DNA sequence: TCCTATTATATTGTGCACAATTTGTTTTAC
DNA sequence: GTAAAACAAATTGTGCACAATATAATAGGA
């Protein structure tokens, strides 16, 4: 294999490593989240809502979008499903009718205590040490802010 | 915020960092892949097919599945779309009718030279140095093999 | 041999992601 | 005050992921 070929080898692509690990990690979450009847993106939304609720902040659909990097095309149907199950409320803001405010219900907040067990149950028995996780997480966060500072990806 | 709360804070989740970076990286690929009219998963499939083609190996649907960690529910329709566009062929194996062999067509292989430019165009102007990428990639690959060695994720 | 288990792919259905467009509201400029 | 621009969310449509099931072929065992 020439060095030209190496460049396109699957195992040399950072993007594939990210793609594969992301899905493998999500797969570890799946059975735990199934106990709460949540999908992984629904879980992320609940994390944001719980966090804001603790701090007395209200959350708009656009806030969820900024935080999770998702648009209304993803969030609107997802929030509808959570609302149907009585986990969140969606309310048009009376002072600005364009805005929809999302908040966890009592039932939604009750779920938080069960969710609290998830992080440790995930690691439990994996033999991955905490320091390594923190280091990887911080490196990823650093890469994320770097990527987001680049602005819109272009075809150039 | 108590340490209890910290545990579920979005920014403390490795899973979210992975999720966000994965999508940010894929977004950087998108305009480049759009020039080839490929989606990101289609690009990964083509990488595997090109690699095998260079080495004279044939590739079955199940081989793609093992390599990319995808099942037939994802691959079958994806491969149909690539085949419709004349980039790959899908052929039932005559000696074992259960098997479908996938191979790049001439047109599919012609695309490879354009794809070759993608890795460097991606990095170009991002100011991310190669060493850092390699280090992150290797750490991710190591985590992946660790996760995959754990076996099926369970609800325990 | 026949019968069962296994294997390989395909199909069906749900829920994201994401682009593009739409609807309705508010802001701004004039 | 009105028209144009900007904004927020919803809608529509495509293409993954993934679970569950179906279909069909092969392999193995009695």
């Amino acid at each position: 294999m020439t060095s030209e070929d190496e460049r396109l080898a699957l195992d040399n692509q950072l993007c594939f490593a990210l793609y594969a690990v992301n899905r493998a990690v999500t797969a570890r979450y799946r059975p735990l989240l199934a106990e709460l009847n949540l999908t992984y993106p629904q879980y992320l939304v609940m994390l944001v809502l719980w966090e804001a609720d603790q701090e007395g902040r209200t959350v708009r659909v656009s806030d969820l979008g900024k935080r999770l990097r998702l648009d209304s095309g993803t969030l609107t149907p997802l929030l509808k499903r959570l609302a149907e199950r009585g986990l969140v409320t969606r309310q048009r803001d009376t002072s600005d009718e364009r805005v929809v405010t999302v908040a966890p219900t009592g039932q939604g907040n009750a779920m938080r205590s069960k969710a609290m067990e998830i992080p440790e149950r995930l690691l439990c028995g994996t033999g991955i040490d905490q320091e390594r996780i923190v280091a990887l997480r911080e490196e990823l966060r650093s890469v994320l802010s770097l990527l987001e500072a680049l602005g819109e990806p272009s075809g150039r």
Side-chain angles (χ1 to χ4, degrees), chain A residues 61-124:
Chain A
V61 172
S62 60
D63 294 327
L64 285 169
K66 279 189 207 88
R67 200 76 197 286
L68 299 174
R69 283 78 172 172
L70 293 171
D71 66 13
S72 64
T74 301
L75 290 171
T76 298
L78 186 156
L79 293 169
K80 276 187 185 171
R81 283 186 282 271
L82 291 179
E84 271 168 25
R85 291 180 44 204
L87 296 174
V88 308
T89 57
R90 297 160 68 231
Q91 239 181 330
R92 283 275 164 198
D93 190 325
T94 47
S95 73
D96 184 344
E97 291 276 356
R98 290 172 303 183
V99 170
V100 168
T101 299
V102 184
T105 61
Q107 197 189 334
N109 272 323
M111 187 178 271
R112 187 169 179 272
S113 60
K114 288 183 191 169
M116 208 77 108
E117 304 167 5
I118 289 180
E120 65 176 310
R121 286 176 66 197
L122 254 182
L123 285 177
C124 185

